[in-house]
């Protein structure tokens, strides 16, 4: 429906205003009738007391002299219902109904005089009843005139107020429509565009600010996605190119081809590609918690020190580096042993690629936290680059370049695993140079039991 909120607000406001005006009009009509009728009652009371005084003084005339309006009436009736005196215009009429003894009553009734409605006061005074009345036509006409005026004014005022509200709402929502139009024009090709922010510092200005903040996040996510795709494509293309080159060389010169060497080389490249694909799949599942929901973490008691010592034995077999585990002490956490072992292996593989001669592994518990450090004696990581090493396919200086091995995703995966276990990971400069990766995880409480 065109108009939308603007039309609904205007309709609701007009309905509310009209209802208020109608209620106010009804109250005004009732108030006017009461006031005018009360004024008539005061006049009738004065006339009645005048007739009472003349009756008591014995000077009551018949017919009674009219007071006030020329159509006013008066009648004096004894307790037996006989008319003792009346105004000339009411002389032939029968006696009016009397109230009880010592009673006074005001009433509105129809009298045959001019076919008019009268306001009548009946007072019991001693042994007689004094009736005084006057036409109420002026009251009815005044109320009718006011009613006619309200029937014209209320719709007119409602229309004027509705038009004013329509204009005000339209003016208020104009920046919202401008924001909507600008956002509708933003596509994946121009995510750098932003909506204009009004200088009013109101709800609409805050909406525009929130919208721009959302666009910033979308642009950042889009850029990271493009970089990720580009880096992944590069990482996949490089081993594929090497494999194709080796195979083409063997096919071009079968006589001199070393098939076994080629097979071993291609197998190594395939293994590297498999690790890369597995790493990409892990990160994709971590990013997308809906369609690619990662397998839930196991929740069981894990001896972190045992995982570190297992990894140290592997490193001693696979490398010639010195592996120091002299400061590995008991540390237990609740988590997934496979995932934690993968995180430790990624940290150690990173240290192996950059260490000169020594890697130091430590574990301990401190203040309800399990602490793990992996330290190498390599070139270290500049402080301003430490936050970037956890980015996917991050490239810093040549000394810690992925050309030394690995997929460039190990540290990103490690950070994801640690965070999913409720932990943190930081980088410090090791004593004597090198990089020290410190992992902090919630330590298991003594009463916690292993679960799967």
């Amino acid at each position: 429906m065109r108009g939308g909120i603007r039309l609904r607000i205007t309709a609701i406001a007009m309905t509310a205003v009209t209802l208020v005006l109608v209620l106010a009009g009804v109250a005004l009509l009732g108030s006017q009738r009461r006031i005018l009728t009360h004024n008539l009652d005061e006049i009738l009371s004065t006339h009645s007391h005048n007739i009472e005084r003349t009756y008591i003084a014995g000077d009551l005339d018949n017919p009674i002299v009219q007071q006030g309006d020329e159509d006013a009436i008066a009648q004096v009736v004894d307790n037996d219902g006989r008319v003792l005196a009346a105004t000339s215009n009411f002389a032939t009429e029968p006696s009016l109904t009397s109230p009880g003894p010592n009673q006074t009553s005001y009433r509105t009734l129809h009298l045959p005089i001019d076919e008019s409605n009268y306001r009548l006061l009946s007072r019991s005074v001693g042994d007689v009843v004094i009736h005084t009345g006057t036409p109420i036509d002026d009251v009815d006409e005044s109320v009718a005139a006011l009613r006619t005026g309200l029937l014209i004014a209320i719709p007119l005022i409602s229309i004027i107020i509705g038009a004013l509200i329509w204009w005000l709402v339209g003016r208020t929502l104009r920046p919202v429509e401008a924001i909507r139009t600008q956002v509708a024009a933003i596509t994946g090709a121009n995510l750098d565009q932003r909506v204009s922010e009004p200088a009013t510092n109101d709800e609409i200005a805050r909406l525009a600010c929130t919208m721009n903040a959302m666009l910033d996040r979308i642009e950042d996510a889009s850029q990271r996605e493009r970089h990720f795709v580009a880096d992944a494509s590069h990482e996949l293309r490089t081993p594929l190119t090497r494999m194709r080159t080796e195979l083409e060389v063997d096919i071009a010169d079968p006589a001199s081809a070393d098939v076994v060497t080629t097979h071993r080389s291609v197998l190594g490249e395939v293994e590297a590609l498999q690790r890369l694909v597995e790493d990409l799949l892990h990160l994709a599942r971590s990013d997308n918690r809906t369609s690619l929901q990662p397998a839930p973490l196991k929740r069981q008691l894990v001896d972190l020190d045992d995982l570190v010592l297992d990894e140290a034995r592997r490193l001693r077999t696979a490398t010639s580096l010195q592996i120091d585990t002299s400061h590995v002490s008991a540390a237990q956490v609740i988590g997934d042993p496979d995932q934690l072992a993968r995180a430790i292996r990624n940290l150690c593989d990173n240290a192996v690629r950059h260490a000169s001669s020594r890697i130091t592994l430590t574990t301990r518990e401190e203040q309800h936290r399990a602490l793990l450090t992996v330290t190498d004696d390599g070139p270290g990581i500049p402080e301003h680059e430490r936050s970037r090493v956890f980015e996917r396919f991050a490239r810093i200086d040549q000394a810690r370049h992925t050309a030394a091995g690995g997929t460039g995703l190990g540290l990103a995966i490690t950070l994801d695993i640690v965070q999913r276990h409720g932990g943190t990971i930081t980088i410090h400069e090791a004593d004597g140079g090198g990089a020290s990766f410190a992992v902090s995880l919630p330590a298991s409480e003594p009463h916690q039991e292993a679960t799967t």
Side-chain angles (χ1 to χ4, degrees):
M1 179 174 60
R2 187 171 180 81
I5 294 177
R6 185 182 188 185
L7 181 59
R8 290 196 294 272
I9 292 177
T10 302
I12 293 172
M14 284 188 65
T15 301
V17 168
T18 302
L19 180 61
V20 170
L21 290 176
V22 168
L23 294 176
V26 171
L28 180 60
L29 288 173
S31 176
Q32 185 188 36
R33 180 174 289 277
R34 286 192 299 272
I35 292 172
L36 294 177
T37 302
H38 178 72
N39 291 338
L40 286 181
D41 293 344
E42 293 290 333
I43 294 173
L44 292 176
S45 178
T46 300
H47 293 171
S48 180
H49 282 88
N50 290 338
I51 294 173
E52 178 186 357
R53 283 193 294 270
T54 58
Y55 172 74
I56 293 174
D59 297 331
L60 182 63
D61 296 328
N62 188 17
I64 300 173
V65 178
Q66 287 180 305
Q67 302 178 67
D69 192 282
E70 62 180 8
D71 293 323
I73 65 166
Q75 187 183 69
V76 179
V77 182
D78 64 13
N79 288 334
D80 295 328
R82 295 191 301 270
V83 177
L84 302 179
T87 54
S88 57
N89 61 347
F90 206 65
T92 60
E93 298 297 327
S95 62
L96 297 169
T97 304
S98 301
N102 300 318
Q103 296 292 320
T104 298
S105 69
Y106 289 95
R107 48 190 164 154
T108 300
L109 72 165
H110 181 76
L111 295 179
I113 303 176
D114 294 334
E115 298 296 327
S116 299
N117 290 324
Y118 274 71
R119 184 67 174 174
L120 186 67
L121 167 62
S122 300
R123 296 176 58 243
S124 178
V125 180
D127 56 353
V128 298
V129 176
I130 301 174
H131 301 284
T132 54
T134 188
I136 202 170
D137 293 345
D138 291 343
V139 174
D140 292 337
E141 291 172 0
S142 177
V143 172
L146 178 60
R147 183 186 301 111
T148 301
L150 290 174
L151 289 175
I152 297 174
I154 289 177
L156 183 61
I157 293 173
S158 298
I159 292 173
I160 293 174
I161 292 178
L164 179 62
I165 293 175
W166 177 268
W167 177 78
L168 287 175
V169 172
R171 183 179 178 86
T172 301
L173 294 179
R174 193 175 302 156
V176 177
E177 179 62 20
I179 292 173
R180 187 201 66 80
T181 303
Q182 292 172 351
V183 171
I186 297 176
T187 64
N190 59 346
L191 284 176
D192 59 329
Q193 298 296 316
R194 296 294 180 268
V195 301
S196 56
E197 298 182 12
T200 51
N201 195 29
D202 55 9
E203 289 81 357
I204 296 177
R206 291 194 291 273
L207 172 64
C209 182
T210 302
M211 189 68 68
N212 283 335
M214 181 190 69
L215 290 172
D216 288 339
R217 293 192 296 271
I218 293 175
E219 182 184 16
D220 180 65
S222 178
Q223 289 178 348
R224 286 189 287 108
E225 181 181 357
R226 288 196 297 268
H227 292 162
F228 180 77
V229 171
D231 290 337
S233 300
H234 174 76
E235 295 294 333
L236 290 169
R237 182 175 59 188
T238 300
L240 288 173
T241 301
R242 289 196 294 264
M243 292 164 58
R244 178 175 179 175
T245 300
E246 293 180 7
L247 292 174
E248 288 177 344
V249 169
D250 284 359
I251 292 173
D253 189 6
S256 60
D258 188 343
V259 177
V260 175
T261 301
T262 300
H263 286 179
R264 289 175 179 170
S265 176
V266 170
L267 179 60
E269 298 289 357
V270 170
E271 291 174 348
L273 284 174
Q274 183 179 3
R275 288 194 300 271
L276 177 59
V277 171
E278 289 174 351
D279 289 345
L280 290 173
L281 182 59
H282 177 97
L283 293 174
R285 284 174 170 170
S286 298
D287 289 341
N288 190 337
R289 303 287 172 153
T290 54
S291 60
L292 292 175
Q293 180 73 8
L297 291 175
K298 298 176 184 177
R299 303 294 298 172
Q300 64 186 61
L301 190 63
V302 179
D303 291 314
L304 197 63
D305 51 309
D306 287 346
L307 297 181
V308 171
L309 292 175
D310 288 343
E311 181 61 23
R313 283 191 288 270
R314 184 187 71 86
L315 292 178
R316 292 189 180 104
T317 301
T319 71
S320 59
L321 297 172
Q322 181 182 355
I323 311 300
D324 183 358
T325 57
S326 59
H327 293 87
V328 173
S329 58
Q332 291 185 322
V333 298
I334 296 296
D336 189 321
D338 296 331
Q339 293 292 311
L340 291 172
R342 183 176 189 180
I344 294 171
R345 173 164 295 193
N346 288 344
L347 289 175
C348 291
D349 286 343
N350 178 75
V352 167
R353 286 193 293 272
H354 308 295
S356 297
S357 60
R358 182 186 182 90
I359 295 175
T360 302
L361 305 177
T362 68
T363 59
R364 70 181 186 279
E365 287 189 6
E366 183 178 292
Q367 297 180 348
H368 306 292
R369 305 289 292 182
L371 306 179
L372 160 69
T373 61
V374 178
T375 305
D376 65 66
D377 60 351
I381 303 174
E383 186 173 355
H384 66 279
E385 296 284 3
R386 290 174 186 173
S387 61
R388 291 189 58 243
V389 300
F390 295 106
E391 296 177 3
R392 300 161 189 186
F393 303 111
R395 299 291 187 270
I396 48 175
D397 57 28
Q398 293 298 320
R400 302 187 76 93
H401 194 279
T402 57
T407 64
L409 298 175
L411 293 180
I413 292 173
T414 299
L415 176 63
D416 177 72
I417 294 173
V418 170
Q419 289 179 339
R420 290 180 66 195
H421 280 80
T424 61
I425 181 169
T426 55
I427 304 175
H428 307 281
E429 183 177 357
D431 295 337
S436 179
F437 287 77
V439 176
S440 174
L441 295 168
S444 65
E445 298 296 334
H447 64 276
Q448 286 183 290
E449 297 180 356
T451 60
T452 58

